[in-house]
Amino acid sequence: MDVAAKAQSVTAPDLAALVVRVAAGERQAEVELVDCFRRGVAVLARRHCRPLDPAADDIAQDVLVAMLERVRAGAIKEPAALPAYLRTAVIHAAAARYRPRREQALDGPDRIGERLADERADPAASLAARQLAAAIATLLGELTVPRDRELLRRFYLLEHDRDEVCAALGIDPGHFHRVIHRARQRFGEILARHGLGTGPG
Amino acid sequence: MSRSDAFLPMTAWLEQAWLQRYLDRALDAEEQAWFETYLLAHPHLVEAVEADTGLRDAFALAGSAGGTGEGGDAGGGDGRPGSPTRPSVVRPRPPSRRGLPPWLGLAAGLLLGLGLAALWPTASGPGPGLANPTRIVFDTLRGGHSPPHIEPGDPDSPWLLVEVPVPPGSRIDSVRLEGGPQSAVFGSVAATPDGFGLLLLDARATGNLVIDYAYPDGVRNQTRFQLPMRH
């Protein structure tokens, strides 16, 4: 049974069988187990980290490796609990990432050096990222309905919650989904108009 | 809710309702925890969450470029996940290690979410290679007709990112793809302040890109770039 090959949901019996195979030392089962959760763990790590924080990738990797080690060691007695375990591990890792730590304050210069090294690693790619940022900023500026831009800005950039956004912009909370859907749609149309898509082929 | 609940499938409409409320951040903490657990057991839902997260990342990236009208109320940034953050302290992922910024994936994901699937180069929708297409840069430093710089990306990506140079400050009125098996016409395209037009094309595109642009003083001009046969 190849659980990882399934595009659809994992079932509890499938997962239980995988866990048994991993605990028995079957390498292919390890690959299948990780593949079951790779994308989900990655996106949860991104959502629980600050936007664009590269640490999200590391958190996802660490969480999957830790899961694999526990399964190998036979420490997972209830395979059905794996999704909940993974989700909790991501939350804890992301929280730890942003928890004020004395050592973070002390090693500031090293961290700055690391950042500079990253940014200097590929000046051309860095330039491309800046160009892309400028381009999308320009596109956002083209939203003709000011409320759309403000709505998207508050919701996605400032991460205000729905009630805050509604209160600030005078939107009935019951209509929030419809309003933000329309704002996303208008932004999508701008992206399409500016070539972020192919024409008739 | 028991842990095994996460594996029980919901009906499609109910699943979509949960997903919609999750993306609108309308779930309380307990509901969010349950749905995120459910998400891990039902990977077909991940794509929509990736697209929405890409939108958030795009705003952060644009905010770092100062183009979103960022005001003084940029959030407190108290360090808690999910709390308001200060875009000025976030660092775009180093492209050299991570590929191109993830908002490229967002753009397409967003369009797909809007039901504009026909804009996709393939009918299959977004794939994992979306965030890392091959990139072709026509660089003015190389001369108008010298071979472009090609940065290979994910070979399975349905996209091709093409950067074409125009004089800084000019406006790209239209872009046409012609001379190949596929033709396409774009409307006006925003040029970056550095003078590049960014085009996301079908990865199979070949032929010539014909760029009509106007200088800041209104004088119009046209330039052509030949896409390499193999990229």
Side-chain angles (χ1 to χ4, degrees), chain B residues 162-194:
Chain B
V162 180
E163 300 184 24
V164 292
V166 290
S170 61
R171 184 185 72 245
I172 301 176
D173 290 330
S174 72
V175 179
R176 299 193 305 278
L177 175 63
E178 59 184 36
Q182 293 178 306
S183 62
V185 179
F186 299 101
S188 60
V189 175
T192 68
D194 297 326

Side-chain angles (χ1 to χ4, degrees), chain A:
Chain A
M1 172 212 53
D2 182 358
V3 175
K6 291 184 178 179
Q8 295 302 312
S9 309
V10 185
T11 67
D14 286 348
L15 191 57
L18 258 186
V19 166
V20 169
R21 288 167 56 203
V22 171
E26 191 181 322
R27 294 291 180 189
Q28 178 58 29
E30 293 184 355
V31 174
E32 291 176 25
L33 181 62
V34 169
D35 281 350
C36 279
F37 297 113
R38 186 192 307 277
R39 282 182 75 186
V41 167
V43 78
L44 282 191
R46 283 179 63 199
R47 283 187 87 80
H48 286 278
C49 284
R50 293 176 183 169
L52 301 166
D53 188 342
D57 291 345
D58 299 330
I59 287 173
Q61 178 78 6
D62 291 346
V63 165
L64 289 168
V65 167
M67 172 200 71
L68 201 52
E69 287 174 349
R70 288 179 64 83
V71 175
R72 279 177 187 156
I76 301 295
K77 304 300 180 192
E78 192 182 349
L82 264 183
Y85 161 81
L86 289 168
R87 193 251 173 197
T88 302
V90 168
I91 301 296
H92 286 173
R97 159 82 177 155
Y98 301 114
R99 190 178 301 135
R101 288 184 303 187
R102 183 168 176 270
E103 57 267 36
Q104 280 189 343
L106 292 176
D107 70 2
D110 288 344
R111 297 174 68 82
I112 293 170
E114 181 187 326
R115 290 180 188 181
L116 290 176
D118 276 344
E119 288 164 4
R120 288 172 181 164
D122 187 343
S126 250
L127 175 63
R130 287 199 299 275
Q131 289 171 344
L132 293 168
I136 200 162
T138 301
L139 297 182
L140 286 168
E142 291 186 19
L143 279 168
T144 54
V145 181
R147 191 178 71 169
D148 284 353
R149 186 167 62 235
E150 191 57 18
L151 177 65
L152 293 173
R153 188 180 77 92
R154 286 175 182 268
F155 191 69
Y156 284 107
L157 179 60
L158 306 184
E159 298 192 55
H160 291 174
D161 66 26
R162 180 184 61 168
D163 291 342
E164 285 178 293
V165 174
C166 288
L169 300 181
I171 297 170
D172 182 334
H175 295 161
F176 176 77
H177 176 72
R178 182 171 51 80
V179 174
I180 196 167
H181 176 75
R182 206 163 49 209
R184 288 172 184 143
Q185 191 167 27
R186 290 191 181 114
F187 185 50
E189 287 165 358
I190 289 173
L191 293 178
R193 202 163 58 237
H194 284 274
L196 288 170
T198 56

